[in-house]
Amino acid sequence: MLRKIFPLICFLFAVNMAVSQTAPVKKIIAYRQSVIPGKKPAPQQTVKKNEQLSLYAEITKNKNIKFSGIWIDNEYYYFTLKKVTKTPIEKNTGDGGGKFIAVPKTLNDVYVIVLGKKLKPAPRPGTILGNNLQNNEVVLYYSYNGKQYFALLKKIKQLETISLM
């Protein structure tokens, strides 16, 4: 009897270990969009562009996470989080007026990451962070149950430039 139950116990133990070690931040979603103030310029005309970043964090439901820092393109930013009450989240694609789903419908918690001021020089706690900054455009540093984690995003998706009229 014990021979039949022992493999099941080992399997359940392994599954429990795998589930308990998964990071609570499921993914980071980011969009970068250039914005031209005023009307669209003529092709030969140069105009100063502003950049807007839209950042979202999808987190396993009901997890108590302490966020410590965010680096975007190797620059550290102060930030706040605002919980999204409803998904999916739609975003404008550009001047054409079209929309797309920026964050799909999910049962997890979704937060908008609202960037504040840049901090110079950027803090760099450890070599693991340095490696992550070299290979990723967005690095979110957080802790959960006393363990430190990094949520990484290799590339921020570039959206079509829009002009404000």
Side-chain angles (χ1 to χ4, degrees):
M1 178 73 171
L2 187 58
R3 282 185 177 170
K4 292 179 181 178
I5 295 175
F6 185 71
L8 177 63
I9 292 171
C10 288
F11 174 74
L12 291 175
F13 180 73
V15 167
N16 184 37
M17 290 294 290
V19 169
S20 66
Q21 290 182 359
T22 57
V25 174
K26 295 298 179 190
K27 63 181 166 181
I28 300 291
I29 302 166
Y31 300 97
R32 178 178 283 147
Q33 190 166 38
S34 296
V35 178
I36 301 171
K39 65 179 185 173
K40 200 166 192 162
Q44 68 277 9
Q45 191 177 14
T46 58
V47 176
K48 182 181 176 185
K49 292 181 184 180
N50 295 324
E51 246 185 15
Q52 289 182 346
L53 287 172
S54 301
L55 300 161
Y56 307 94
E58 183 180 336
I59 301 166
T60 304
K61 196 155 193 72
N62 299 324
K63 298 288 183 183
N64 189 16
I65 298 172
K66 182 180 183 279
F67 292 94
S68 303
I70 189 165
W71 289 261
I72 300 170
D73 297 326
N74 283 322
E75 295 183 340
Y76 182 84
Y77 289 85
Y78 292 109
F79 67 99
T80 57
L81 297 171
K82 290 185 181 178
K83 190 171 183 178
V84 174
T85 56
K86 186 179 173 188
T87 57
I89 299 172
E90 289 186 345
K91 188 147 181 63
N92 290 331
T93 57
D95 286 337
K99 292 187 177 204
F100 72 99
I101 295 177
V103 179
K105 186 167 183 63
T106 180
L107 296 176
N108 293 321
D109 291 334
V110 175
Y111 290 88
V112 175
I113 300 170
V114 181
L115 296 179
K117 287 180 161 182
K118 248 187 247 186
L119 179 66
K120 290 185 180 182
R124 303 214 184 273
T127 57
I128 295 173
L129 175 63
N131 293 337
N132 286 331
L133 289 174
Q134 288 177 359
N135 300 318
N136 300 283
E137 289 186 354
V138 179
V139 176
L140 180 64
Y141 181 60
Y142 66 97
S143 59
Y144 174 69
N145 285 343
K147 294 181 182 178
Q148 274 77 40
Y149 295 92
F150 292 102
L152 309 171
L153 180 65
K154 285 215 178 282
K155 194 87 172 136
I156 298 172
K157 184 175 180 184
Q158 181 70 45
L159 298 178
E160 183 181 325
T161 300
I162 61 170
S163 59
L164 302 175
M165 292 188 198

